[in-house]
Amino acid sequence: MLWISVFIVFIVIILGWFGIVFYQRRVSLRIDSLDQEKKKLLDPSIDEEFVKLKQSSPSGESLVDLNHWQQVYERVKNRQLVDLETFFFKAEDANNKFQFVQGRQRVAELEKKLKDSKKDIAEIKQALFKIQDVQDLDKKLIDGINNELTDVKRSILSKGYAYGPAQDILENRLSKIDEAYDSAQQVYLGGDYSKAKALFETITHELADLKNDMKEISILFEQVNKTFPGQLKEIRATYEKMKASGYKFIDDDFDNKILTLQNLVDQTKELLTQAAIDDIRANCEHISKEIDKLYTILEREYKSHRKVKNTKDDLYQFIIHAGRQNRTLSENIYQASNTFVLKNNEEKQAADFELQIENIRLDYNRDMQKVTDKEAVLSVINRDFELWRKQLTEIEQRQIEIVDEVSKKYDKLEEFKKDLLDYDSAFKVIARYVEKENLPGVLEDYREFYLVVSKELKKMKSLITSSKIDIDEIENVSSLLKEDLITLSDQTNEMVKNSRLTEILIQNAIQYQETNPSVTQSINKAKEIYANQFDYGQAVNVLAKELELIKPGSFQEIAANYNESDEIKIQL
């Protein structure tokens, strides 16, 4: 057993040794990997970029910026990277001596220092890129601004007339921008690229603002110099021509309005000497809106003249037609009122229409007199025409509806007369059918319902022949009578059927009297119900129950063979 224990201890020692060697090898590989990363930090292109930027002779902020980053780079290269060598030595020494805890700490410190150095190198590269980008961007800005300045100068010199009194101010602004451009160029040539870039960007914005103002001023000057004066002249000439032709205007104040707008145009021209664009723009918008209003007034009166001329005769005929139609309507209503009960104030509606049409006729005549005397504002006349046409159209539509409603009363009356004949015929058929059966009597409920239908029939006859016919009431009675006749017909068929079935069942039951003593009792009971109580349905039930006890299914067979061909079948 001892040798087994010794063997196990030996195996454990061997495995432990291999574990230590494996971990030491793993740490060593990590240190080698970090060393490769450190070597990559020494990028020769960084030194070359500093030399290149120094050769461009920077000054001012650009020089200060470049010197700062060169100092940072020298610190990283000559101090941080040298210090890294010490950390590499300590980490390797601890690992070689199997001081794993201390070695792990040294490797962690080495990773942090290397990470910081990599971050510093990245920031240095980014800063150098920005410095170079500023120099390149300044060159593009200089060329672009120079071209823009040339274009603006050419525009002001060749098209100065388009800016009117604002030309001098625009030239002064351009001159100041030109001076600022020269100053910025000197700063750039002096090597202060950062400051030059800021100056060029300011010049770019100012130049863009100048170009926008030039464009807007040319449009505004065109309005106050040509467009507005031409429009006001055209409005005045049109107004005077229309006045001479007899046109009238609501609150006629054209002369003062034109004079006020002309003065505002002159004031706006003065503002151009100051290039007060916001004020000029506001004035131009106001002038444009007011001119549009004057054009609208002239156009409205001109179009109204044509509309009044083209529609006055048609409107007059429409008024005459509406009056004639209303007289016809009144006659129809009067005649209908002698026959029917009218419930929708038809007579009052016709009287109201007559008054409304007469008022329109009087107002129309007054308007046309104003037109003849050349005292009418035609847009007002046309507005009256449109209102009256709308009112007359509504009156005509309502007249048609009333005529249709009255006419339908005559049609309905004829329909109800025909229905009454049908109802009377059906009622007589039912009565004859019951009489022909020669029944011993009928149930009280049936008798009462029969009388109700009879009274409804008489009431409908009375309503149709009355001196004042109420169509709505007749319609209600007719609808109820029709339903009740159908119900009475069904009840009559059922009563007659049960009466006949009672007789048939008695004949069938007699054959079972000798073998079934209870049959005689059932027959006698059924006869008593049949002859004295007149409840034929109950009599059928008594016999059917007895026969089913004797011969199941016999009643269904008898009922199925019952002949219904002669039952009442009314069509209403």
Side-chain angles (χ1 to χ4, degrees), residues 493-545:
N493 285 329
E494 186 67 18
M495 180 178 67
V496 171
K497 177 181 178 180
N498 287 330
S499 170
R500 293 177 179 178
L501 281 174
T502 299
E503 295 174 356
I504 294 171
L505 291 172
I506 288 173
Q507 294 299 321
N508 277 271
I510 289 174
Q511 62 181 313
Y512 300 110
Q513 278 183 308
E514 293 183 2
T515 57
N516 295 278
S518 62
V519 171
T520 300
Q521 294 179 356
S522 296
I523 291 173
N524 291 334
K525 183 178 181 181
K527 286 181 177 181
E528 195 279 330
I529 294 172
Y530 181 92
N532 297 318
Q533 300 179 21
F534 317 129
D535 191 348
Y536 309 117
Q538 181 61 27
V540 168
N541 290 336
V542 169
L543 294 170
K545 184 178 180 181

Side-chain angles (χ1 to χ4, degrees), residues 349-367:
Q349 289 187 65
D352 291 343
F353 294 156
E354 183 178 358
L355 179 60
Q356 192 175 357
I357 294 168
E358 178 61 16
N359 288 336
I360 291 174
R361 186 186 67 80
L362 293 174
D363 290 340
Y364 173 84
N365 289 338
R366 278 193 289 270
D367 275 4

Side-chain angles (χ1 to χ4, degrees), residues 412-557:
K412 283 188 176 181
L413 179 59
E414 294 303 315
E415 291 177 6
F416 289 141
K417 287 180 179 180
K418 180 180 179 299
D419 290 342
L420 180 60
L421 293 175
D422 293 339
Y423 298 159
D424 188 62
S425 175
F427 188 72
K428 289 177 180 179
V429 167
I430 293 172
R432 285 195 297 270
Y433 187 62
V434 174
E435 184 179 356
K436 185 181 68 174
E437 285 299 310
N438 197 24
L439 299 173
V442 296
L443 288 173
E444 188 61 28
D445 288 345
Y446 179 86
R447 184 186 302 278
E448 289 178 357
F449 188 61
Y450 181 90
L451 293 175
V452 167
V453 175
S454 176
K455 289 178 180 179
E456 289 173 350
L457 188 60
K458 291 176 181 179
K459 183 176 182 180
M460 186 170 178
K461 290 178 181 178
S462 176
L463 289 172
I464 288 178
T465 58
S466 66
S467 58
K468 284 276 191 174
I469 299 173
D470 189 337
I471 289 295
D472 294 335
E473 188 175 2
I474 293 174
E475 187 169 16
N476 293 333
V477 173
S478 175
S479 177
L480 181 61
L481 178 55
K482 179 179 180 179
E483 293 179 5
D484 288 349
L485 277 170
I486 293 172
T487 302
L488 182 62
S489 172
D490 293 340
Q491 290 181 1
T492 301
N493 285 329
E494 186 67 18
M495 180 178 67
V496 171
K497 177 181 178 180
N498 287 330
S499 170
R500 293 177 179 178
L501 281 174
T502 299
E503 295 174 356
I504 294 171
L505 291 172
I506 288 173
Q507 294 299 321
N508 277 271
I510 289 174
Q511 62 181 313
Y512 300 110
Q513 278 183 308
E514 293 183 2
T515 57
N516 295 278
S518 62
V519 171
T520 300
Q521 294 179 356
S522 296
I523 291 173
N524 291 334
K525 183 178 181 181
K527 286 181 177 181
E528 195 279 330
I529 294 172
Y530 181 92
N532 297 318
Q533 300 179 21
F534 317 129
D535 191 348
Y536 309 117
Q538 181 61 27
V540 168
N541 290 336
V542 169
L543 294 170
K545 184 178 180 181
E546 186 66 33
L547 288 174
E548 285 297 309
L549 291 173
I550 298 170
K551 184 181 180 182
S554 59
F555 171 72
Q556 286 81 358
E557 182 180 355

